[in-house]
Amino acid sequence: KICTDGQCLTCTVTCEAADHTCDSTVLQAALNNGGTVVVCPGLYTGTVSVANMAAVAMIGAGDGADSATNTLLRYLSVSNVATFAMSHMRIHGFADGNCEDDNGIYIKDSGATLTDCAIAEV
């Protein structure tokens, strides 16, 4: 469960790896269904893409850098989503002025709202 903003929510996606690093495949599958996706702590590697949908909301466990207690994404791409909301998550992986492919955040042609999120190098 994730407890934030005065409410506790059951996770839709859970990273169960001992080192808290998981492939983003399960997260991607949950997002493909649209709606609200609650993402438990962990570092979700790989590209997460949300495209051509009416509404998607992602709720994570915090915006800190520790994957044991916070939800971290390596790369998020959002395009052609009428309403996209993300809260309590961290996008991380920017490389000291040497941006690599497939890290960071990309938003195009979407109504996006990010609340209590961090976009950081690490």
Side-chain angles (χ1 to χ4, degrees), residues 5-79:
D5 297 333
Q7 63 179 345
C8 292
L9 305 168
T10 301
C11 292
T12 309
V13 176
T14 302
C15 178
E16 296 183 6
D19 68 353
H20 309 289
T21 301
C22 293
D23 181 86
S24 61
T25 306
V26 174
L27 174 56
Q28 184 64 62
L31 289 169
N32 289 343
N33 294 322
T36 299
V37 177
V38 180
V39 188
C40 270
L43 169 60
Y44 296 85
T45 61
T47 299
V48 175
S49 179
V50 181
N52 305 314
M53 297 182 142
V56 176
M58 295 174 62
I59 302 170
D63 62 4
D66 182 358
S67 61
T69 56
N70 297 274
T71 304
L72 293 78
L73 303 179
R74 178 68 71 195
Y75 179 64
L76 174 65
S77 173
V78 179
S79 61

